[in-house]
PDB file of all heavy atoms in Angstrom:
ATOM      1  N   LEU A 146      17.139 -13.275  -9.707  1.00 96.00           N
ATOM      2  CA  LEU A 146      17.422 -13.769 -11.047  1.00 96.00           C
ATOM      3  C   LEU A 146      18.851 -14.311 -11.063  1.00 96.00           C
ATOM      4  O   LEU A 146      19.786 -13.624 -10.655  1.00 96.00           O
ATOM      5  CB  LEU A 146      17.290 -12.595 -12.022  1.00 96.00           C
ATOM      6  CG  LEU A 146      16.967 -12.862 -13.477  1.00 96.00           C
ATOM      7  CD1 LEU A 146      15.716 -13.718 -13.628  1.00 96.00           C
ATOM      8  CD2 LEU A 146      16.777 -11.527 -14.201  1.00 96.00           C
ATOM      9  N   ALA A 147      19.027 -15.546 -11.531  1.00 94.00           N
ATOM     10  CA  ALA A 147      20.371 -16.131 -11.576  1.00 94.00           C
ATOM     11  C   ALA A 147      21.176 -15.452 -12.685  1.00 94.00           C
ATOM     12  O   ALA A 147      20.657 -15.244 -13.777  1.00 94.00           O
ATOM     13  CB  ALA A 147      20.274 -17.628 -11.844  1.00 94.00           C
ATOM     14  N   PRO A 148      22.445 -15.093 -12.407  1.00 90.00           N
ATOM     15  CA  PRO A 148      23.289 -14.525 -13.461  1.00 90.00           C
ATOM     16  C   PRO A 148      23.456 -15.532 -14.595  1.00 90.00           C
ATOM     17  O   PRO A 148      23.570 -16.743 -14.338  1.00 90.00           O
ATOM     18  CB  PRO A 148      24.623 -14.265 -12.750  1.00 90.00           C
ATOM     19  CG  PRO A 148      24.347 -14.387 -11.297  1.00 90.00           C
ATOM     20  CD  PRO A 148      23.140 -15.248 -11.140  1.00 90.00           C
ATOM     21  N   ALA A 149      23.472 -15.036 -15.838  1.00 80.00           N
ATOM     22  CA  ALA A 149      23.389 -15.917 -17.006  1.00 80.00           C
ATOM     23  C   ALA A 149      24.499 -16.971 -17.049  1.00 80.00           C
ATOM     24  O   ALA A 149      24.240 -18.148 -17.286  1.00 80.00           O
ATOM     25  CB  ALA A 149      23.395 -15.076 -18.269  1.00 80.00           C
ATOM     26  N   ALA A 150      25.740 -16.557 -16.816  1.00 69.00           N
ATOM     27  CA  ALA A 150      26.861 -17.451 -17.114  1.00 69.00           C
ATOM     28  C   ALA A 150      27.323 -18.278 -15.916  1.00 69.00           C
ATOM     29  O   ALA A 150      28.268 -19.044 -16.028  1.00 69.00           O
ATOM     30  CB  ALA A 150      28.037 -16.636 -17.645  1.00 69.00           C
ATOM     31  N   ASP A 151      26.656 -18.111 -14.764  1.00 65.00           N
ATOM     32  CA  ASP A 151      27.194 -18.744 -13.569  1.00 65.00           C
ATOM     33  C   ASP A 151      26.841 -20.227 -13.480  1.00 65.00           C
ATOM     34  O   ASP A 151      25.673 -20.603 -13.482  1.00 65.00           O
ATOM     35  CB  ASP A 151      26.675 -18.023 -12.315  1.00 65.00           C
ATOM     36  CG  ASP A 151      27.698 -17.044 -11.797  1.00 65.00           C
ATOM     37  OD1 ASP A 151      28.813 -17.030 -12.342  1.00 65.00           O
ATOM     38  OD2 ASP A 151      27.384 -16.311 -10.853  1.00 65.00           O
ATOM     39  N   ASP A 152      27.874 -21.075 -13.404  1.00 76.00           N
ATOM     40  CA  ASP A 152      27.639 -22.493 -13.159  1.00 76.00           C
ATOM     41  C   ASP A 152      27.591 -22.731 -11.660  1.00 76.00           C
ATOM     42  O   ASP A 152      28.249 -22.045 -10.886  1.00 76.00           O
ATOM     43  CB  ASP A 152      28.771 -23.331 -13.763  1.00 76.00           C
ATOM     44  CG  ASP A 152      28.660 -23.372 -15.272  1.00 76.00           C
ATOM     45  OD1 ASP A 152      27.513 -23.324 -15.762  1.00 76.00           O
ATOM     46  OD2 ASP A 152      29.694 -23.411 -15.951  1.00 76.00           O
ATOM     47  N   VAL A 153      26.819 -23.706 -11.266  1.00 82.00           N
ATOM     48  CA  VAL A 153      26.705 -24.038  -9.851  1.00 82.00           C
ATOM     49  C   VAL A 153      27.927 -24.838  -9.406  1.00 82.00           C
ATOM     50  O   VAL A 153      28.296 -25.824 -10.037  1.00 82.00           O
ATOM     51  CB  VAL A 153      25.416 -24.842  -9.592  1.00 82.00           C
ATOM     52  CG1 VAL A 153      25.328 -25.265  -8.142  1.00 82.00           C
ATOM     53  CG2 VAL A 153      24.198 -24.035 -10.005  1.00 82.00           C
ATOM     54  N   VAL A 154      28.600 -24.362  -8.362  1.00 84.00           N
ATOM     55  CA  VAL A 154      29.733 -25.078  -7.769  1.00 84.00           C
ATOM     56  C   VAL A 154      29.342 -25.411  -6.326  1.00 84.00           C
ATOM     57  O   VAL A 154      29.270 -24.523  -5.481  1.00 84.00           O
ATOM     58  CB  VAL A 154      31.009 -24.214  -7.769  1.00 84.00           C
ATOM     59  CG1 VAL A 154      32.181 -25.027  -7.217  1.00 84.00           C
ATOM     60  CG2 VAL A 154      31.308 -23.707  -9.163  1.00 84.00           C
ATOM     61  N   LEU A 155      29.044 -26.676  -6.073  1.00 82.00           N
ATOM     62  CA  LEU A 155      28.483 -27.042  -4.773  1.00 82.00           C
ATOM     63  C   LEU A 155      29.549 -27.150  -3.700  1.00 82.00           C
ATOM     64  O   LEU A 155      30.680 -27.532  -3.968  1.00 82.00           O
ATOM     65  CB  LEU A 155      27.760 -28.382  -4.881  1.00 82.00           C
ATOM     66  CG  LEU A 155      26.471 -28.376  -5.697  1.00 82.00           C
ATOM     67  CD1 LEU A 155      25.857 -29.766  -5.677  1.00 82.00           C
ATOM     68  CD2 LEU A 155      25.492 -27.353  -5.163  1.00 82.00           C
ATOM     69  N   ASP A 156      29.151 -26.810  -2.467  1.00 82.00           N
ATOM     70  CA  ASP A 156      29.959 -27.111  -1.293  1.00 82.00           C
ATOM     71  C   ASP A 156      29.490 -28.471  -0.773  1.00 82.00           C
ATOM     72  O   ASP A 156      28.382 -28.576  -0.233  1.00 82.00           O
ATOM     73  CB  ASP A 156      29.745 -26.018  -0.240  1.00 82.00           C
ATOM     74  CG  ASP A 156      30.409 -26.376   1.090  1.00 82.00           C
ATOM     75  OD1 ASP A 156      31.058 -27.443   1.160  1.00 82.00           O
ATOM     76  OD2 ASP A 156      30.258 -25.594   2.025  1.00 82.00           O
ATOM     77  N   PRO A 157      30.303 -29.521  -0.944  1.00 79.00           N
ATOM     78  CA  PRO A 157      29.833 -30.869  -0.597  1.00 79.00           C
ATOM     79  C   PRO A 157      29.491 -31.045   0.880  1.00 79.00           C
ATOM     80  O   PRO A 157      28.707 -31.929   1.232  1.00 79.00           O
ATOM     81  CB  PRO A 157      31.000 -31.782  -1.012  1.00 79.00           C
ATOM     82  CG  PRO A 157      32.170 -30.896  -1.182  1.00 79.00           C
ATOM     83  CD  PRO A 157      31.677 -29.511  -1.452  1.00 79.00           C
ATOM     84  N   ALA A 158      30.051 -30.178   1.747  1.00 81.00           N
ATOM     85  CA  ALA A 158      29.718 -30.284   3.170  1.00 81.00           C
ATOM     86  C   ALA A 158      28.252 -29.908   3.406  1.00 81.00           C
ATOM     87  O   ALA A 158      27.639 -30.346   4.371  1.00 81.00           O
ATOM     88  CB  ALA A 158      30.622 -29.374   3.993  1.00 81.00           C
ATOM     89  N   GLU A 159      27.697 -29.074   2.520  1.00 82.00           N
ATOM     90  CA  GLU A 159      26.333 -28.598   2.746  1.00 82.00           C
ATOM     91  C   GLU A 159      25.327 -29.168   1.757  1.00 82.00           C
ATOM     92  O   GLU A 159      24.163 -29.357   2.101  1.00 82.00           O
ATOM     93  CB  GLU A 159      26.298 -27.061   2.661  1.00 82.00           C
ATOM     94  CG  GLU A 159      27.160 -26.406   3.717  1.00 82.00           C
ATOM     95  CD  GLU A 159      26.630 -25.050   4.142  1.00 82.00           C
ATOM     96  OE1 GLU A 159      25.417 -24.866   4.156  1.00 82.00           O
ATOM     97  OE2 GLU A 159      27.461 -24.177   4.439  1.00 82.00           O
ATOM     98  N   CYS A 160      25.786 -29.408   0.502  1.00 84.00           N
ATOM     99  CA  CYS A 160      24.828 -29.795  -0.526  1.00 84.00           C
ATOM    100  C   CYS A 160      25.287 -31.048  -1.254  1.00 84.00           C
ATOM    101  O   CYS A 160      26.430 -31.147  -1.686  1.00 84.00           O
ATOM    102  CB  CYS A 160      24.667 -28.712  -1.586  1.00 84.00           C
ATOM    103  SG  CYS A 160      24.217 -27.166  -0.886  1.00 84.00           S
TER     104      CYS A 160
END
Side-chain angles (χ1 to χ4, degrees):
Chain A
L146 205 54
D151 262 354
D152 287 328
V153 177
V154 183
L155 291 182
D156 172 2
E159 298 210 33
C160 304

